Amino acid sequence: MGSHQCVLVLVSITLALLLSIRYVSFVGLITEAEPKLIVRPSGLKYFDVAIGDGESPVNGEKVSVHYIHYFAPPGENVTAANYGTVGMEFDSTRAHGRDAFEFTVGLRRVPRGMSEAVKSMHVRGRRIAIVPPHLGYGDRRIGVVPANSTLIYDLELLDVQGLDQKLQEEEEDEKTISEEDEDK
C-alpha cells in the first residue's frame, strides 16, 4: 500500500470514529452526543452550538441574525436529541443568499421565544432554540405552521446595532407627553 493510500485509510477511520461518538443534526451541525440543554423559566429550551465572543443584546437594541426556522407538529415532544428529526423547515435567511434578518429585541415583532433566545447570545454565537407554542405563534395558524406548533430556530447572532432609533424617538415622545401632563 502506498503512503497516500495509508493516509486516506487513517483519515477515513478517524472520521468514522469521530462521527460514531458525535451527534450530527439535520442542519449539518456537529455537536456533542448530549448537548447541554438549558430550560428557561418561561419554557424556552436551547443549547449552544457555538458560544460567541461579542456583545449580548438588551431590550430595545436592534440585532442582525441568520436563522433557519422549523416547526414540529402540535403535541410533538422536541428535545435536544430529536429536534433534528421532528422539525420541518419553512423559512431561512441562509437559503438562496437572503440577507440577514433584523429586529429589535423585546418588541413583539417576532415570536417572544425568538427574542428571548437571542437576548442571551453573544455576537458570533450559534444556538438551537426550541420554542413552545405559548412563546411562538400560540393557537394561531401562520402560513404552513399549524396552530400550537413548537418552533425550532437555528440562530446565528451576527451583530448588535445598538438601541433602535425609532424606539428611542417613541420613548422620548412619551416622556415629553408625560412631562407636559405633569405640568398641567
Side-chain angles (χ1 to χ4, degrees):
M1 198 182 290
S3 65
H4 285 71
Q5 290 173 326
C6 286
V7 169
L8 286 174
V9 168
L10 286 173
V11 168
S12 297
I13 291 171
T14 303
L15 184 58
L17 286 171
L18 285 173
L19 289 177
S20 70
I21 60 173
R22 299 275 187 176
Y23 172 78
V24 181
S25 76
F26 72 110
V27 291
L29 305 174
I30 299 176
T31 61
E32 295 299 321
E34 296 292 328
K36 183 179 179 196
L37 187 67
I38 307 296
V39 181
R40 308 266 310 158
S42 66
L44 172 72
K45 300 175 190 174
Y46 66 83
F47 63 91
D48 289 315
V49 176
I51 298 174
D53 57 2
E55 62 184 306
S56 290
V58 296
N59 281 341
E61 287 186 312
K62 188 178 273 191
V63 295
S64 182
V65 299
H66 268 309
Y67 67 85
I68 302 175
H69 200 176
Y70 305 86
F71 72 89
E76 186 74 48
N77 182 29
V78 182
T79 67
N82 77 356
Y83 82 95
T85 60
V86 297
M88 295 181 58
E89 181 179 336
F90 70 94
D91 191 20
S92 174
T93 59
R94 291 191 181 107
H96 313 295
R98 285 179 49 190
D99 289 336
F101 178 67
E102 294 182 353
F103 69 95
T104 301
V105 175
L107 293 186
R108 295 285 178 125
R109 296 189 180 132
V110 298
R112 188 173 141 213
M114 180 181 183
S115 193
E116 183 179 340
V118 168
K119 194 172 166 179
S120 59
M121 292 178 71
H122 294 275
V123 171
R124 290 177 287 286
R126 193 159 183 184
R127 172 173 289 172
I128 304 299
I130 301 168
V131 179
H134 71 277
L135 297 177
Y137 298 139
D139 60 3
R140 296 171 297 154
R141 177 185 179 91
I142 304 292
V144 299
V145 182
N148 297 310
S149 292
T150 296
L151 303 179
I152 305 162
Y153 289 95
D154 172 355
L155 296 162
E156 180 181 7
L157 181 56
L158 303 172
D159 191 26
V160 176
Q161 301 163 8
L163 290 176
D164 185 323
Q165 188 62 38
K166 185 177 179 185
L167 185 63
Q168 282 182 310
E169 290 170 4
E170 289 172 4
E171 286 178 359
E172 287 174 13
D173 288 344
E174 286 179 22
K175 285 180 186 174
T176 302
I177 291 170
S178 296
E179 289 168 0
E180 289 172 358
D181 288 342
E182 288 175 7
D183 291 340
K184 291 182 181 179

